[in-house]
């Protein structure tokens, strides 16, 4: 029976300092959901005996069948610690790599994390990833070392061996944290040095040269405080546990139990229970150097020996007569049913759950060690408000004021409302609280009976007085009514069968109530641009589908609010800052993520960094073509419900589904068939993505004969690329373009700098748009572009300088033709951020890309520059080989002339000149590509395998005979 009702949870929601928002993260099968079951059982939601078997947070049938979690789900728990009441919002997240996007959405909403590690398997790839995600989001973590029972029953380790093994696992976890900390510190130190270099100094020339030649990078790591970074049992942030058997303890648990028996203060015992300490039986003192003197560590003497004795007695030797004796010594009372149970494992679980209850230990640690929403750090706030290429200082003054509201986490009426929606999840409409059948009171039932009796009497009286003709009319009318009612019922059933979308959200500031109207800010919303318009009006009737490309704000009404209770939802009327909630009625306003606020000055939260990128593509079509509209609708719903899935419509008309892996694909197809589209589907084999490229002309042909001599005889240079000359249809413009392959190093740099290149392209587009406006000066005064006025932020400028420096370093090592590459870059593509270059090698037309700060000079061709660039973008997006994107191709523009006086009034014949230039450039790029040696590039799968040394020894992987057979 549930211990607390919704009213109690609502009361605790109004005390942010007593709230803990946490998530459980770990590698797959390390025991997250079993641990969650144990914590849920502490609230009476499920039975203690069913914890670990029921898997309450896995509500999907395929999750139960596979035994893995596929989606993040939240539940609110009540806990009392030292007479203080706490509300713990717990999120159970998946451990499979295919569903790592669900972990990212969960971590974004939390202030703390429970990292679970299987002590047998140790630190696994997803463990590293979970620690990295938690660290990057600035959330504090605690550690649960799980499945210690496996060391006893499966590995047959002694207590001392198990202690050594667990110490090594703990060191592995701390080593990962140390790597993350060191890389972060050195990165911040680099930023600090660059800022210091900008400050004018008064040192002598000799001193400054000396400083430039030497810098002690280790000083930053030495000066940084990492005392609270690592997991240490004496600090109280490590739990030793067996979730399947329902027990767990910390050092403090046994320090409290044994302080009276040993006659030692609890604080002293806490400090010596873990580590290289032992008990000197003669002097009755704790001494250091257990390993050196071959003594048992105190941890083994006091804790593990007792634990091992219980397991050996109850399970390994199955001595049932000793169970009551153990219970008496531990002060535990087992029921007669448990004492007579034939399964010794059930007996052990009943005993251990009472002696060392796991839920009590873990929830105590969570409430003590993990921060409340009130304790959010300024660094985390700035990370939430700013993307990687933006400075907090570059925001508008009104936006910067919101930082204090984040830190206050206050629900007063004068505070702005700030909510972040990390994902949308589907829920069956019939199971929503408002649609559940409600129990009738005795008065309501009697009123209904009386009303039914009156209706029957009226029908009898009317029936007796009606004539035959009237009867016929009545029957016809009834038939019409029945037909209309049948149609209405069918529509109602169809609507009822469609899933409802609930927003998975966290309130960072303010208070939200039902029927409130809020701004829904899309991921691309920029408050600086929005605030620059004095008379900005947002149309309240517009939905997400009605917005133009430059619009990112809608107004939505909060239709319902919910407390998330795992498989169920509890409806509430209002929610305040610091809580994780569900919000209904936003499915037409949010695609995947969004920010809700009462002010447009609020920035869109920084983009969630997903660990896995969707790579597995399949084409989908309905088995019956007439059901295509249902498939399209189903794909839209699937795209909205899954943060990692992508749905594409190819030019060929194919509907392509892109997922993170095979398991993710199977889950998406099941959802499409059973929930969203509800039609049989035909699915293709996985589609392999290609990239089109060109290579340098070969020097040896297929017969291994040199080609260079043949080229010399013909008077051709093997290094000289053919130039393609093309005219627009009306002959007003002439374009000369040649294509050449980009060196691998430059391609890799372009591929890594995607976000930066896209931001530069967007900035250039805006400047071009302003320069065409007659009132240019007034527009520039109003504009705020990623900084103050039309200037880029300091961080952006710094990233551009780093990019230029890296590119120049690479070019200096290459042949002379790449020496002036930076000055020639006109655009990158496809989509303004790809690994292909458009280079301006004309003598009379100047463009700018990286050197965006230069003034735009008047030129008749400038009006058509965007059309020219768009032609290049179209060509690189779909190459001539198989309509796949290009990669590693540079298109050099050697000449571009424009003579509008050549032909008069040709618009009606050939269309606008801008369109002609776009088509001409696209065709020229494709021809220039085709005259070079063309190649198709296939995707390569790279895999890092991390194993222990003993595995390498067992399989002898590095023997030459295995790798290179003779």
């Amino acid at each position: 029976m549930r211990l607390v009702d919704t009213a109690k949870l609502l009361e605790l929601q109004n005390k942010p300092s007593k709230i803990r928002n946490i998530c459980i993260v770990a590698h797959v099968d390390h025991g997250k959901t079993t641990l969650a079951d144990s914590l849920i059982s502490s609230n009476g939601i499920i039975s203690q005996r069913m914890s670990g078997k029921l898997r309450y947070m896995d509500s999907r049938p395929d999750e139960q069948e596979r035994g893995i979690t596929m989606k993040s789900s939240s539940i609110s728990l009540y806990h009392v610690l030292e007479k203080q009441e706490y509300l713990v919002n717990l999120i159970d997240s998946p451990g499979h790599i295919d569903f790592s996007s669900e972990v990212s959405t969960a971590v974004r909403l939390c202030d703390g994390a429970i990292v679970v590690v299987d002590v047998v398997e140790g630190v696994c790839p997803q463990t590293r990833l979970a620690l990295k995600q938690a660290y990057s989001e600035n959330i504090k973590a605690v550690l649960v070392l799980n499945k210690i029972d496996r060391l006893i029953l499966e590995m047959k380790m002694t207590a001392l061996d198990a202690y050594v093994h667990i110490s090594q696992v703990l060191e592995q976890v701390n080593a990962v944290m140390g790597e993350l900390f060191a890389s972060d510190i050195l990165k911040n130190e680099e930023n600090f040095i660059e800022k210091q270099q900008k400050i004018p100094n008064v040192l002598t020339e000799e001193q400054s040269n000396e400083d430039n030649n030497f810098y002690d990078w280790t000083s930053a790591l030495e000066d940084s405080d990492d005392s609270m970074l690592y997991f240490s049992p004496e600090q109280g942030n490590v739990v030793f546990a067996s979730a399947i058997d329902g027990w767990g303890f910390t050092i403090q648990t046994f320090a409290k139990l044994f302080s009276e028996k040993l006659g030692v203060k609890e604080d002293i015992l806490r400090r010596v229970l873990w580590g290289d300490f032992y008990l000197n039986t003669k002097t009755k003192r704790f001494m250091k150097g257990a390993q050196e003197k071959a003594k048992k560590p105190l941890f083994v003497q006091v804790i593990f020996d007792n634990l091992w004795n219980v397991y050996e007695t109850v399970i390994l030797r199955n001595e049932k007569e000793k169970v009551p004796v153990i219970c008496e010594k531990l002060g535990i009372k087992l029921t007669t049913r448990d004492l007579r149970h034939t399964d010794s494992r059930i007996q052990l679980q009943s005993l251990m759950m009472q002696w060392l209850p796991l839920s009590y230990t873990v929830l105590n640690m969570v409430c003590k060690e993990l921060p409340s929403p009130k304790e959010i750090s300024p660094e985390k706030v700035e990370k939430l408000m700013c993307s990687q290429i933006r400075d907090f200082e570059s925001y508008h003054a009104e936006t910067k004021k919101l930082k204090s509201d984040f830190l206050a986490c206050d629900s007063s009426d004068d505070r702005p409302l700030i909510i972040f929606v990390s994902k949308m999840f589907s829920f069956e409409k019939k199971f929503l609280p408002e649609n559940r059948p409600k129990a009738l009171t005795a008065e309501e039932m009697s009123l209904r009976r009386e009303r039914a009796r009156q209706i029957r009497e009226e029908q009898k009286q009317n029936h007796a007085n009606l004539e035959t003709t009237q009867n016929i009319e009545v029957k016809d009318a009834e038939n019409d009514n029945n037909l209309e009612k049948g149609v209405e019922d069918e529509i109602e059933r169809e609507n009822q069968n469609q899933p409802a979308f609930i927003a998975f959200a966290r309130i960072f500031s303010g208070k939200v109530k039902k029927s409130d109207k809020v701004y829904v800010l899309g991921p691309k919303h920029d408050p600086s641009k929005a605030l620059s318009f004095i008379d900005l009006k947002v149309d309240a009737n517009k939905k997400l589908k009605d917005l133009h490309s430059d619009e990112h704000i809608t107004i939505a009404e909060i239709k319902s609010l919910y407390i998330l209770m795992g498989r169920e939802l509890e409806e509430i009327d209002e929610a305040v800052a610091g809580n994780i909630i569900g919000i209904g009625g936003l499915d037409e306003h949010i695609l995947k993520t969004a920010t809700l606020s009462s002010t447009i000055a609020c920035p869109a939260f920084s983009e969630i960094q997903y660990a896995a990128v969707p790579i597995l593509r399949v084409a989908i079509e309905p088995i019956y073509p007439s059901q295509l509209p249902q498939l399209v609708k189903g794909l839209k719903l699937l795209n909205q419900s899954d943060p990692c899935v992508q749905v594409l419509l190819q030019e060929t008309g194919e509907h392509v589904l892109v997922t993170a892996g095979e398991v993710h694909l199977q889950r998406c197809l099941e959802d499409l068939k059973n929930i969203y589209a509800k039609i049989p589907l035909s699915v293709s084999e996985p589609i392999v993505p290609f990239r089109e490229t060109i290579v340098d002309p070969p020097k040896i042909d297929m017969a291994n004969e040199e080609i260079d001599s043949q080229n010399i005889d013909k008077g051709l240079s093997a290094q000289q690329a053919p130039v393609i000359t093309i005219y627009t249809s009306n002959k007003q413009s002439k374009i000369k373009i040649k294509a050449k392959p980009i060196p691998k190093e430059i391609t890799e740099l372009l591929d890594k700098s995607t976000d930066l290149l896209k931001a530069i392209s967007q900035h250039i587009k805006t400047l071009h748009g302003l320069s065409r406006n007659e009132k240019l000066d007034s527009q520039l005064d109003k504009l705020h572009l990623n900084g103050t006025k039309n200037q880029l932020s300091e961080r952006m400028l710094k990233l551009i300088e780093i990019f230029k420096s890296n590119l120049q370093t690479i070019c200096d090592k290459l042949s002379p033709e790449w020496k002036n590459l930076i000055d020639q870059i006109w655009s990158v593509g496809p989509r303004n951020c790809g690994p292909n270059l458009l280079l301006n090698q004309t003598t009379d037309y100047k463009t700018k890309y990286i050197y965006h700060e230069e003034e735009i000079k008047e030129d008749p061709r400038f009006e058509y520059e965007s059309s020219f660039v768009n032609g290049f973008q179209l060509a690189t997006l779909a190459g001539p080989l198989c309509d796949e994107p290009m990669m590693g191709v540079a298109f050099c523009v050697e000449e571009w002339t424009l003579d509008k006086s050549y032909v008069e009034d040709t618009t009606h014949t050939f269309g606008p000149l801008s369109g002609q230039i776009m088509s001409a450039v696209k065709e020229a790029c494709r021809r220039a590509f085709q005259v070079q040696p063309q190649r198709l590039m296939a995707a390569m799968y790279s895999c890092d395998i991390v194993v222990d040394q003993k595995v390498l020894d067992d399989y002898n992987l590095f023997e030459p005979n295995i790798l290179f057979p003779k």
Side-chain angles (χ1 to χ4, degrees):
M1 183 178 175
R2 190 173 291 183
L3 297 180
V4 292
D5 57 6
T6 310
K8 188 66 178 177
L9 297 177
L10 280 172
E11 181 189 331
L12 290 171
Q13 277 195 348
N14 293 304
K15 301 174 183 176
S17 59
K18 300 301 179 187
I19 296 173
R20 299 291 183 270
N21 296 319
I22 62 167
C23 60
I24 305 178
V25 294
H27 190 76
V28 66
D29 285 335
H30 276 208
K32 297 180 299 301
T33 307
T34 308
L35 174 62
D37 272 5
S38 183
L39 301 182
I40 293 165
S41 68
S42 68
N43 274 229
I45 297 171
I46 62 172
S47 164
Q48 278 195 343
R49 294 180 183 277
M50 293 303 293
S51 61
K53 305 176 185 71
L54 186 61
R55 299 177 64 87
Y56 182 77
M57 300 296 272
D58 290 350
S59 55
R60 295 170 55 94
D62 48 1
E63 288 180 316
Q64 292 287 347
E65 288 169 12
R66 286 180 177 271
I68 62 171
T69 305
M70 295 186 182
K71 64 175 181 58
S72 299
S73 47
S74 177
I75 192 166
S76 296
L77 303 175
Y78 169 82
H79 184 62
V80 178
L81 172 63
E82 297 171 357
K83 297 182 180 179
Q84 296 287 329
E85 294 179 319
Y86 290 88
L87 175 67
V88 179
N89 293 316
L90 174 73
I91 303 177
D92 181 27
S93 63
H96 197 285
I97 183 64
D98 280 12
F99 308 105
S100 58
S101 59
E102 293 281 343
V103 182
S104 303
T105 58
V107 167
R108 172 55 66 88
L109 302 183
C110 295
D111 302 303
I114 301 174
V115 180
V116 183
V117 177
D118 182 341
V119 291
V120 175
E121 295 185 12
V123 176
C124 295
Q126 280 299 104
T127 314
R128 294 173 180 272
L129 191 58
L131 289 168
K132 184 178 180 181
Q133 286 176 310
Y135 188 85
S136 64
E137 290 285 348
N138 285 59
I139 68 173
K140 190 177 179 182
V142 291
L143 182 66
V144 174
L145 294 170
N146 192 24
K147 301 193 181 182
I148 292 178
D149 60 289
R150 290 184 65 193
L151 299 179
I152 308 171
L153 303 177
E154 291 180 27
M155 308 293 288
K156 307 292 183 185
M157 285 187 178
T158 63
L160 182 59
D161 290 341
Y163 166 76
V164 173
H165 178 76
I166 288 172
S167 301
Q168 292 171 347
V169 172
L170 189 59
E171 284 177 11
Q172 289 175 9
V173 179
N174 284 331
V176 176
M177 294 300 295
E179 289 173 15
L180 296 169
F181 178 74
S183 60
D184 192 39
I185 290 296
L186 293 177
K187 183 180 177 182
N188 292 336
E189 185 70 3
E190 185 181 355
N191 295 339
F192 173 76
I193 293 167
E194 289 186 0
K195 285 182 180 176
Q196 288 294 105
Q197 287 175 347
K198 292 180 181 178
I199 300 172
N201 54 26
V202 292
L203 297 175
T204 63
E205 187 178 348
E206 185 179 346
Q207 287 174 319
S208 63
N209 287 337
E210 186 179 343
D211 287 343
N212 289 334
N213 292 333
F214 174 75
Y215 183 81
D216 185 10
W217 286 91
T218 59
S219 63
L221 287 173
E222 291 169 359
D223 297 341
S224 302
D225 180 22
D226 61 351
S227 58
M228 301 304 292
L229 173 74
Y230 300 110
F231 300 108
S232 172
E234 54 264 35
Q235 286 183 8
N237 59 3
V238 177
V239 167
F240 304 88
S242 169
I244 195 70
D245 289 337
W247 60 264
F249 64 87
T250 61
I251 294 295
Q252 285 79 355
T253 308
F254 278 90
K256 205 175 269 186
L257 287 172
F258 286 97
S259 58
E260 293 181 6
K261 290 184 180 180
L262 296 174
V264 181
K265 288 183 180 179
E266 189 179 323
D267 290 340
I268 296 174
L269 204 52
R270 280 182 186 179
R271 291 199 295 269
V272 298
L273 260 179
W274 180 263
D276 196 27
F277 297 96
Y278 70 97
L279 178 63
N280 190 323
T281 51
K282 293 181 181 178
T283 60
K284 302 291 182 184
R285 294 181 62 188
F286 300 114
M287 309 291 288
K288 199 166 187 179
Q291 186 177 0
E292 184 183 342
K293 296 177 183 177
K295 300 283 187 181
K296 266 190 183 180
L298 190 62
F299 184 85
V300 178
Q301 285 179 298
V302 174
I303 301 173
F304 266 15
D305 278 347
N306 291 322
L307 200 62
W308 257 244
N309 284 335
V310 171
Y311 265 86
E312 287 171 358
T313 303
V314 178
I315 293 184
L316 297 179
R317 294 197 296 269
N318 198 13
E319 298 174 350
K320 291 185 178 293
E321 67 279 0
K322 290 188 178 179
V323 174
V325 179
I326 294 171
C327 292
E328 187 180 346
K329 286 183 179 179
L330 297 175
I332 295 168
K333 289 184 180 179
L334 290 184
T335 62
T336 308
R337 178 186 171 188
D338 287 333
L339 289 170
R340 290 179 179 174
H341 210 291
T342 54
D343 190 345
S344 58
R345 192 69 183 259
I346 299 293
Q347 282 186 331
L348 179 88
Q349 289 172 353
S350 302
L351 188 155
M352 297 300 288
M353 281 178 186
Q354 290 188 54
W355 182 34
L356 302 169
L358 175 62
S359 58
Y360 182 76
T361 305
V362 173
L363 289 174
N364 278 358
M365 178 177 67
V366 164
C367 295
K368 282 181 182 177
E369 299 296 325
L370 296 182
S372 71
K374 283 269 189 187
E375 299 169 58
I376 189 170
S377 65
E379 293 80 16
K380 182 175 180 179
V381 171
E382 290 192 12
K383 268 193 174 182
L384 291 174
M385 295 178 74
C386 304
S387 63
Q388 293 182 348
I389 57 174
R390 179 146 199 175
D391 283 328
F392 177 74
E393 294 301 323
S394 67
Y395 276 126
H396 194 280
E398 284 187 46
T399 304
K400 286 194 277 189
K401 283 180 187 175
L402 295 177
K403 182 178 177 180
S404 59
D405 298 310
F406 272 97
L407 295 171
C409 189
D410 190 3
S411 56
S412 306
D413 292 334
D414 59 334
R415 295 284 186 180
L417 176 67
I418 303 172
I419 302 175
F420 178 67
V421 177
S422 70
K423 69 168 184 174
M424 302 289 285
F425 67 92
S426 60
F427 204 86
E428 287 191 59
K429 280 186 180 177
K430 60 184 176 184
F431 293 131
L432 289 173
E434 57 264 34
N435 295 334
R436 288 182 204 150
K438 295 179 181 177
L440 297 174
T441 62
E443 293 178 1
E444 289 173 334
M445 290 177 72
S446 63
L447 286 171
R448 285 198 174 190
R449 280 196 295 268
E450 180 65 25
R451 178 65 182 152
R453 187 180 61 76
Q454 290 174 2
I455 291 171
R456 280 199 302 272
E457 287 178 359
E458 289 174 4
Q459 285 177 345
K460 284 180 184 178
Q461 190 175 358
N462 292 337
H463 186 70
N465 297 331
L466 288 174
E467 296 177 359
T468 309
T469 55
Q470 289 175 328
N471 284 340
I472 294 170
E473 290 175 2
V474 168
K475 284 180 181 178
D476 289 341
E478 283 179 357
N479 288 336
D480 291 342
N481 288 338
N482 288 337
L483 184 62
E484 288 178 13
K485 193 172 183 300
V487 172
E488 288 175 3
D489 289 345
E490 185 66 30
I491 294 170
E492 181 65 27
R493 268 198 303 274
E494 189 178 342
N495 290 335
Q496 197 67 23
N497 289 334
Q498 286 297 332
F501 281 94
I502 309 297
F504 192 36
R506 156 112 182 243
I507 309 174
F508 285 89
S509 173
K511 181 191 295 183
V512 62
K513 298 178 183 177
K514 268 193 195 178
S515 304
D516 279 357
K517 292 196 173 177
V518 296
Y519 290 112
V520 181
L521 311 173
K524 293 184 179 179
H525 167 68
D526 187 346
S528 302
K529 286 184 182 179
L531 292 169
S532 65
F533 295 100
I534 301 169
D535 55 347
L536 177 67
K537 291 181 181 178
V538 181
D539 189 350
N541 297 319
K542 278 193 174 182
K543 305 290 192 294
L544 183 65
K545 62 179 192 277
D546 304 323
L547 296 180
H548 299 295
S549 59
D550 58 340
E551 293 179 322
H552 309 292
I553 307 174
T554 60
I555 296 176
E557 182 183 347
I558 304 295
K559 293 183 180 176
S560 47
L561 297 170
Y562 307 101
I563 297 177
L564 303 171
M565 295 299 294
R567 300 182 181 187
E568 299 174 2
L569 300 174
E570 295 287 346
E571 194 171 16
I572 55 176
D573 293 324
E574 68 174 32
V576 298
N579 288 285
I580 293 174
I581 59 168
I583 306 175
L586 299 176
D587 43 337
E588 292 185 334
H589 296 270
I590 299 175
L591 181 60
K592 292 182 184 286
T593 67
T595 307
L596 309 182
S597 183
S598 56
T599 170
I600 57 170
C602 180
F605 277 52
S606 60
E607 189 179 352
I608 297 175
Q609 298 298 317
Y610 296 119
V613 179
I615 53 171
L616 185 62
R617 298 171 171 233
V618 291
I620 296 181
E621 62 181 10
I623 290 178
Y624 307 108
S626 61
Q627 295 178 328
L628 184 61
Q630 291 166 262
L631 173 64
V632 173
K633 188 176 180 182
L635 286 171
K636 285 181 181 177
L637 295 175
L638 176 66
N639 187 37
Q640 189 171 18
S641 68
D642 196 316
C644 193
V645 81
Q646 289 181 9
V647 176
L648 308 173
L649 178 61
Q650 302 286 72
E651 290 182 4
T652 56
E654 281 183 318
H655 289 89
V656 174
L657 186 68
V658 193
T659 58
E662 188 180 352
V663 182
H664 186 210
L665 173 64
Q666 289 175 5
R667 191 195 80 172
C668 291
L669 293 176
E670 286 297 316
D671 286 351
L672 263 180
K673 290 176 186 175
N674 303 326
I675 301 174
Y676 302 124
K678 296 182 179 178
I679 57 172
L681 299 172
S682 173
V683 183
S684 73
E685 290 295 317
I687 301 170
V688 180
F690 291 103
R691 292 292 180 269
E692 300 185 21
T693 191
I694 56 176
V695 295
D696 289 318
K699 296 182 180 179
I700 298 176
D701 66 4
M702 294 180 68
N704 290 330
E705 296 178 358
E706 288 192 14
I707 304 175
D708 284 351
S709 57
Q710 300 172 23
N711 291 334
I712 291 168
D713 293 340
K714 294 178 182 178
L716 297 172
S717 170
Q719 309 230 334
Q720 187 176 356
V723 178
I724 301 299
T725 303
I726 199 166
Y727 292 86
T728 54
S729 301
N730 59 8
K731 308 298 181 186
Q732 287 185 351
S733 185
K734 175 186 175 184
I735 300 163
K736 285 186 177 181
I737 291 180
K738 70 176 181 181
K740 62 180 180 180
I742 300 176
K744 184 181 176 183
E745 299 86 351
I746 298 178
T747 306
E748 289 175 354
L749 179 63
L750 293 172
D751 220 8
K752 289 177 187 174
S753 310
T754 300
D755 292 338
L756 176 66
L757 296 173
K758 189 177 279 188
I760 296 173
S761 298
Q762 187 62 39
H763 183 61
I764 298 295
K765 272 187 187 176
T766 310
L767 290 179
H768 281 190
L770 289 171
S771 62
R772 293 194 187 100
N773 197 307
E774 293 177 2
K775 299 179 180 178
L776 177 61
D777 296 334
S778 62
Q779 288 292 325
L780 285 173
D781 288 338
K782 290 181 183 178
L783 184 70
H784 294 266
L785 257 177
N786 205 9
T788 57
K789 296 295 177 81
N790 63 324
Q791 298 299 316
L792 292 173
S793 66
E794 283 188 15
R795 184 181 296 184
M796 270 283 290
L797 293 171
K798 176 193 160 190
L799 291 172
I800 291 170
E801 287 302 318
I802 293 171
F803 175 77
K804 282 160 62 176
S805 173
N806 292 340
L807 187 57
Q808 190 59 54
T809 304
I810 293 170
C811 292
D812 289 342
K813 297 176 183 177
L814 300 172
S815 57
E817 64 175 321
W818 298 101
K819 189 174 182 182
N820 299 321
L821 176 67
I822 296 178
D823 300 328
Q824 297 173 2
I825 296 178
W826 190 348
S827 182
V828 292
R831 298 189 178 93
N832 296 306
C833 59
N836 302 287
L837 292 172
L838 179 65
L839 303 179
N840 179 13
Q841 295 183 352
T842 61
T843 55
D844 59 340
Y845 183 68
K846 297 295 181 186
T847 57
K848 62 180 194 173
Y849 183 72
I850 294 178
Y851 296 101
H852 49 78
E853 64 276 4
E854 294 177 2
E855 292 183 7
I856 300 169
K857 294 180 181 178
E858 288 297 327
D859 190 294
R861 288 169 289 184
F862 174 71
E863 183 182 349
Y864 303 101
E865 183 173 316
S866 59
S867 299
F868 199 104
V869 171
N870 287 340
F872 158 76
Q873 299 291 344
L874 291 171
T876 53
L877 183 61
L881 289 175
C882 55
D883 285 339
E884 290 283 351
M886 293 183 190
M887 184 172 186
V889 184
F891 292 100
C892 310
V893 183
E894 295 193 345
E895 185 181 342
W896 179 26
T897 60
L898 184 65
D899 184 9
K900 287 191 177 183
S901 63
Y902 185 78
V903 177
E904 294 183 3
D905 192 21
T906 57
T907 305
H908 300 292
T909 309
F910 301 111
L913 182 58
S914 58
Q916 294 180 51
I917 289 175
M918 191 186 304
S919 302
V921 173
K922 178 184 176 183
E923 184 61 27
C925 289
R926 290 171 72 94
R927 287 189 197 173
F929 182 93
Q930 288 176 306
V931 296
Q932 296 285 353
Q934 305 166 65
R935 297 289 185 274
L936 270 181
M937 301 172 71
M940 300 295 290
Y941 181 77
S942 111
C943 179
D944 293 333
I945 301 175
V946 182
V947 294
D948 292 335
Q949 183 65 39
K950 60 184 179 183
V951 178
L952 296 178
D953 291 341
D954 290 343
Y955 290 97
N956 210 359
L957 291 178
F958 292 107
E959 273 194 13
N961 288 340
I962 294 175
L963 281 179
F964 309 105
K966 293 178 181 177

